[in-house]
Each structure stands twice: as C-alpha cells, then as structure tokens.
DNA sequence: TTGACAATTGAACATTGGTTCAGTATAACA
DNA sequence: TGTTATACTGAACCAATGTTCAATTGTCAA
C-alpha cells in the first residue's frame, strides 16, 4: 500500500472519522467545507489519489459513494501489545507493536462468558478475589482442569476430579479449604472450562 | 422504545445490514429496489414510522440521510459477565447479565498498552510468565506501586521505590530475586503504572 | 528548466435522491 | 360506522451530489 501525503492522510482520516461518528460517508462538498476548500475538485483530486493508492474505491453513479478499503474499514480494537522497547526511543513512538490485546478476537462471544471470583479458595491457582474468570461454555470439563460447576444455581470455580462412581469432586487451590464431593441428588450443571483470567488492579 | 411491525423491522434490519456490509446507508430507492417496491413512498412511510418510534432520525436536506439511533448503531462488544446463575435455569439462557468485559471500555487505547511478562520475578504479586500486564502510560509511578521501567531500552515490571538521592530501586516480588538500584548514568524511562493483568490459560 | 505531481479555484452538467401530493386497499378499533 | 395505522402505487419537484473541463501555483527531481 502506497504512502499518503499529509493532506491525503487528513482527508482519509476525516472520511473515517465521519463514518465512525456520524454513521455515514461525507459528500465531497462536506469534505470541502470541513477543509475550507472553495472547490469540490480539490477534494476530488485527493479522492483520486486515495483511490489510485488503494485506500478507497468509488461506486459509479451513486451519492456518498466512497468505499473504504477493508483493511481500514474495521476499526482496530483492543490495547496495543508492545513486544520490545526500541533502545533510546521514547515509548510514545510505539514501534515494536506485537498486535492488539482484544478479548473479542481471543474469546468468541457466543461461547464464552466471564464470572467474577468471590473469595480466595482458588488463590494458589492464581485467582484472586474480584478477578474475572473467563469461561468457555462447554458440557465437559476433564479431571485436572479448572472449571465452573453450578450446584443448585450457585456457580463455583474449582479444579475438577471425576470419581469412579461418576460423582464430581471439587478441589480448591488453597490449603485453608477442603475438597468436597457433589451430592448425587444435587442439581449439577457444568458451566464450562476456565481458560482465562482478567484482573483490574486496585 | 415502541414495537416495530414485521415490515418495519425488515426495513430497519436492511438498513443496518447495508451499513455494516457496504459501509454506508442505502438510499430510499435502493431500499425500494431491495424490497421490490414500485414507489419510493412505500419506503418513506416505513421510515416515517421508524422515526416516530425512535429507531432512526433524518438529517434534513441531505442524501442518504438516515441516522441510526445510538442504541442500535454500536455493536455490543466484549464477553458477557454473568453475575449470579439463576437457580434451575440453564446457563445458556443468560439472565443475570452484569454487563460486558470489554478492554476498550475499561482502558482507553490512547493511554494504555500491554506488555508480555517474561520470567517469574513478580510471581508473588500475581504476575506469571506469559501474562499480559496492562499498563497506563504516565510519567510518574509512586513508591510502592508496580510500574514499568525502561532501562536502556529494556522494559521490566517491578515494584518501584524512589530513594532519597532520586535514584530508583526496583523490587521483585519473588524471594529468588534481589532488588536493585538503577544506575544514575543509565537511560531510564518510566513506561507507566501497571493497572491490570490478563492471562490466557494453557 | 522542463516535466511531473500535489494542491487548489471556478464553473457547469447530469444524476441521484429526499420529499411531497394524490390516491387505493386492508385491518384493527372504538 | 367512522377513524386510525399500515402498506402500498404513481408522478413530480428540486436540492444534493459526483464528475468533468479549464486554469493556476508551488515543489522537486531529472
């Protein structure tokens, strides 16, 4: 993708911003007004340049017909992950970008949910009081995995162990707590497997 | 918000779909064509109804001037947070929704970045090897807070302690590691304060 | 110093497209 | 039985808009 001039970048950013904030694409005259151009043709040459460089395309015979190239259409989500900090460079100039930390792209929304941890029964497994456990909703959790058990409507995060008789033993990861077995007559549902953790400090 | 009729909902969904897929709002004639209407006025009555019921608004004197009400414009992001699980109800029917865990709404992208933790020097503060520390970029980190120090281009997460002589002491949270003081002639930059943690398990 | 390119003015043209007026038909409702 | 809301057809008006032609100015590399 070719480089843009300063002005071209400004025009392109304006189109993107308008699309995001107003919900539709500006007309050439609106762009001209925003930049103080007296002629719509000033906009047009910029649009021609943007089109030639692959940033936009235009639908012939339509109003507000600018199409943003797919690469730029999807707003980048998440917080930037910095891999290494370049020697001598200030951090503001993020150069060694390793992608973005975006929960939606890691955990798809249909299969996952978050559960707030109450208490410190899983402290040694790294779950603190107030943390969010990120759970993949699935019907089976194997022995040794950390999962969510819903017993009579109350959800708990514990390490699972299936006993020979088919009963479920839930094992806390904190010496102050004792493992316990779920009664056969309890209403047990499997919430899913814990596959992530998010903590907001202080 | 008032209920929509079947046809009104179809028209509204078509507008939303066009906006999402094509990137801009359809004209009344495009809507008419999509539904096989012979008159643009058929569309207009539906738009009037949608406007009256608060789903859209229209900018006078503009083409493609439909504005989607904010409630419907912004797609919900993040993973659902389940507060309590209702007794007897399967989890699939998410009822006790406590909002959404969405990093973009917690940490604004301009001020925050994520840093992958290498090693176990902060193990007792809850940071495991491979975790992402979420850092708010700020010039000052006070004594006692966990922050990111960039020394000669290498970033480390440690607990900060400012000494009387103005030097910075970095304290690991793991007995196997020793605190150390940053040399006065080192190139020290403050990356920011660590305010969050994300861990992807296994 | 010539040519290419970016940046801009100014004017004009042909469509696109929002809106409105005049009707028709059906169903719910009071 | 009249009223209101929904769901359309058909036609027309005129403002909004994309596009194009003709020129001008400054920059920068060949």
């Amino acid at each position: 993708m070719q480089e843009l001039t300063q002005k071209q970048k400004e025009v392109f950013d304006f189109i993107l911003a308008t699309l995001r904030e107003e919900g539709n694409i500006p007309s050439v005259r609106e762009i001209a007004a925003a930049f103080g151009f007296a002629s719509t043709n000033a906009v047009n040459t910029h649009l021609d340049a943007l089109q030639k460089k692959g940033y936009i395309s235009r639908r012939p015979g339509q109003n507000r017909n600018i199409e943003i190239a797919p690469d730029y259409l999807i707003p980048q989500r998440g917080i930037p992950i910095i891999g290494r900090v370049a020697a001598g460079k200030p951090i503001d100039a993020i150069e060694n970008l390793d992608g973005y930390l975006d929960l939606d792209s890691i955990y798809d929304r249909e299969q996952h949910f978050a559960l707030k941890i109450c208490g410190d029964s899983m402290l040694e497994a790294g779950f603190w009081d107030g943390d969010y456990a990120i759970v993949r909703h699935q019907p089976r959790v194997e022995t040794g995995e950390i999962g969510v058990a819903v017993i009579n409507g109350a959800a708990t995060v514990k390490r699972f162990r299936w006993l020979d008789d088919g009963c479920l033993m839930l094992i806390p990861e904190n010496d102050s707590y004792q493992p316990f077995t779920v009664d056969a007559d309890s209403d047990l549902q499997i919430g899913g497997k814990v596959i992530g953790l998010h903590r907001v400090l202080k």
Side-chain angles (χ1 to χ4, degrees), chain A residues 63-122:
Chain A
N63 286 4
R64 296 173 185 270
N65 63 356
I66 300 168
E67 265 188 332
I68 312 287
D71 293 356
Y72 303 96
L73 182 61
I74 301 153
Q76 188 60 59
R77 303 271 315 183
I79 29 181
I81 300 171
I82 298 184
R84 226 157 286 147
V85 180
K89 295 274 176 66
I91 305 177
D92 308 75
I94 296 173
E95 292 211 330
N96 294 67
L97 189 61
D98 261 12
Y100 291 87
L101 182 60
D102 176 28
L103 300 194
D104 289 83
S105 61
I106 307 177
Y107 315 104
D108 94 84
R109 171 202 195 56
E110 300 302 314
Q111 286 182 72
H112 296 86
F113 61 93
L115 195 63
K116 198 162 192 172
I117 301 285
C118 294
D120 54 0
S121 68
M122 291 298 281

Side-chain angles (χ1 to χ4, degrees), chain A residues 1-199:
Chain A
M1 203 69 89
Q2 283 181 64
E3 286 286 305
L4 293 180
T5 66
Q6 177 63 26
K7 254 300 154 57
Q8 287 164 4
K9 182 164 163 37
E10 281 175 31
V11 171
F12 186 60
D13 286 344
F14 176 78
I15 298 168
L16 284 180
T18 307
L19 182 58
R20 254 193 279 277
E21 287 158 30
E22 312 266 341
N24 71 347
I25 280 173
S27 69
V28 288
R29 279 171 184 82
E30 284 169 358
I31 300 173
F35 285 86
F37 297 152
S39 170
T40 57
N41 194 35
V43 177
N44 233 16
T45 54
H46 291 133
L47 294 184
D48 285 342
L50 287 172
Q51 182 156 19
K52 211 173 91 187
K53 295 180 181 177
Y55 286 76
I56 63 168
S57 61
R58 280 182 280 181
R59 281 182 275 253
Q62 223 187 45
N63 286 4
R64 296 173 185 270
N65 63 356
I66 300 168
E67 265 188 332
I68 312 287
D71 293 356
Y72 303 96
L73 182 61
I74 301 153
Q76 188 60 59
R77 303 271 315 183
I79 29 181
I81 300 171
I82 298 184
R84 226 157 286 147
V85 180
K89 295 274 176 66
I91 305 177
D92 308 75
I94 296 173
E95 292 211 330
N96 294 67
L97 189 61
D98 261 12
Y100 291 87
L101 182 60
D102 176 28
L103 300 194
D104 289 83
S105 61
I106 307 177
Y107 315 104
D108 94 84
R109 171 202 195 56
E110 300 302 314
Q111 286 182 72
H112 296 86
F113 61 93
L115 195 63
K116 198 162 192 172
I117 301 285
C118 294
D120 54 0
S121 68
M122 291 298 281
L123 199 67
E124 280 153 42
F127 295 89
W128 296 9
D129 190 40
D131 287 359
Y132 291 101
I134 291 155
V135 188
R136 189 205 298 139
H137 186 42
Q138 57 184 49
R140 288 175 59 91
V141 174
E142 305 299 329
T143 291
E145 295 179 341
I146 295 174
V148 174
V150 185
I151 304 160
N152 299 324
T156 47
V157 173
K158 292 285 182 301
R159 196 172 291 280
F160 277 41
R161 180 187 298 164
W162 294 100
L163 304 178
D164 290 339
D165 60 4
C167 284
L168 174 62
M169 178 179 256
L170 295 173
I171 307 161
E173 301 257 324
N174 184 334
D175 292 343
S176 321
Y177 293 80
Q178 293 303 314
F180 68 95
T181 306
V182 179
D183 286 338
D185 61 348
S186 297
D187 174 25
L188 170 67
Q189 293 168 50
I190 307 302
K193 182 180 172 182
V194 175
I195 59 161
L197 162 69
H198 192 84
R199 178 177 303 152

